[in-house]
Amino acid sequence: MRLIPATDDNHLAEIAADLVIRHVAEQSDLVLTTPTGRTPIGLYRRLRSEAAAGRFDLDQATVFMLDEYLDLPGYPTGSFQAFLREHLGSLVFNASTTVHTIEPSQTNTAEICANYDRLLDDAGGIDLAILGVGGNGHVGFNEPGATDDQRTHPILLSEDTLQANFPGVDTSLLPSTAVTIGLADLLAARSVLLIASGPTKAKAIAALCAGARIEASPVTHLLDHPDFTVVAEQALLPAR
Ligand code: GLP
């Protein structure tokens, strides 16, 4: 694991954007995953402004949404696709970039998952898995208990994750299930870039810094990855 400390959210976005831009400069037809959440918002803002300045584009890239809710009562409001459309905008939702979304309205979950795996295979796998991390160590929606052999699969959302993602929202408006790219494809990615900020990530980052795989902390499974970069807020790192 290569650990890069960031002084604050802006610095984190700057470091992560530079890394993404470097990957695209080396390989314009990059296959990448795009996470949701508060953490990547600065990274996406920065990528969009670099694109607006003409220094970068994802025109030849292929983008895979990392995960999506399956039964969000107000879909598409609150969905990950809506989030990505808002924060990535025309950087990826344009006439050139190939974007694979997970559409919860399709007929059945098994079909959605098999179809996504087929698309991942057709794309030749993931080149750059950009990931956030949940407070309980989840990556995408690979929650505690996820195994390294899993490909795209449905999950029951944990209480922790629902509280973190929908603070104060009435339970009647909450989803119960989601679909996520599995650890098998994330571990097989050529490179993994994980970004983490905010006090709720302290436990997950401490586990990474301890350097030992913990079965119940999916993020630590990435410690086995040969090209794993973590950009984390300095305050989350153990004092040296
Ligand atoms: C969601 C997503 C994850 C993301 C996590 C953390 O649960 N499924 O991919 O990493 O939220 O989000 P935040 O950056 O808001 O802490």
Side-chain angles (χ1 to χ4, degrees):
M1 175 178 81
R2 181 165 69 123
L3 182 61
I4 307 177
T7 46
D8 57 23
D9 281 346
N10 274 338
H11 191 209
L12 185 146
E14 190 185 317
I15 297 167
D18 285 352
L19 290 171
V20 173
I21 290 167
R22 209 174 309 156
H23 275 274
V24 177
E26 279 168 16
Q27 185 187 349
S28 56
D29 62 351
L30 199 75
V31 177
L32 67 157
T33 61
T34 49
T36 54
R38 186 193 60 80
T39 318
I41 291 176
L43 163 64
Y44 295 159
R45 191 181 306 120
R46 196 155 181 104
L47 289 177
R48 287 178 78 174
S49 70
E50 288 297 299
R55 288 193 280 269
F56 151 82
D57 67 62
L58 287 172
D59 288 356
Q60 293 173 58
T62 298
V63 172
F64 281 88
M65 286 179 67
L66 195 53
D67 46 14
E68 180 61 285
Y69 299 115
L70 273 183
D71 57 345
L72 192 64
Y75 186 86
T77 305
S79 69
F80 287 163
Q81 184 174 164
F83 172 95
L84 293 172
R85 285 186 182 276
E86 177 185 349
H87 293 284
L88 285 165
S90 62
L91 175 61
V92 305
F93 294 96
N94 59 49
S96 310
T97 308
T98 303
V99 186
H100 296 302
T101 56
I102 300 170
E103 304 292 339
S105 56
Q106 279 171 289
T107 43
N108 72 61
T109 311
E111 206 172 294
I112 294 172
C113 295
N115 184 45
Y116 220 52
D117 287 344
R118 222 174 3 253
L119 292 168
L120 284 161
D121 290 341
D122 290 349
I126 300 164
D127 294 309
L128 177 64
I130 307 175
L131 302 172
V133 61
N136 64 0
H138 74 235
V139 284
F141 271 137
N142 293 280
E143 295 273 15
T147 57
D148 293 356
D149 57 356
Q150 285 177 310
R151 298 203 67 198
T152 308
H153 61 282
I155 59 117
L156 269 180
L157 291 159
S158 72
E159 199 54 45
D160 284 355
T161 299
L162 284 172
Q163 269 178 28
N165 292 7
F166 297 94
V169 174
D170 189 282
T171 48
S172 66
L173 300 173
L174 298 182
S176 61
T177 54
V179 158
T180 184
I181 292 180
L183 287 175
D185 292 84
L186 300 178
L187 288 165
R190 255 65 79 195
S191 303
V192 177
L193 169 62
L194 184 133
I195 51 178
S197 86
T200 58
K201 312 302 165 69
K203 196 169 158 214
I205 297 304
L208 279 180
C209 291
R213 176 189 170 102
I214 301 168
E215 279 313 312
S217 175
V219 71
T220 66
H221 298 204
L222 296 166
L223 287 166
D224 295 336
H225 194 283
D227 184 6
F228 178 33
T229 302
V230 175
V231 186
E233 186 189 352
Q234 179 87 57
L236 295 175
L237 306 180
R240 289 166 196 241

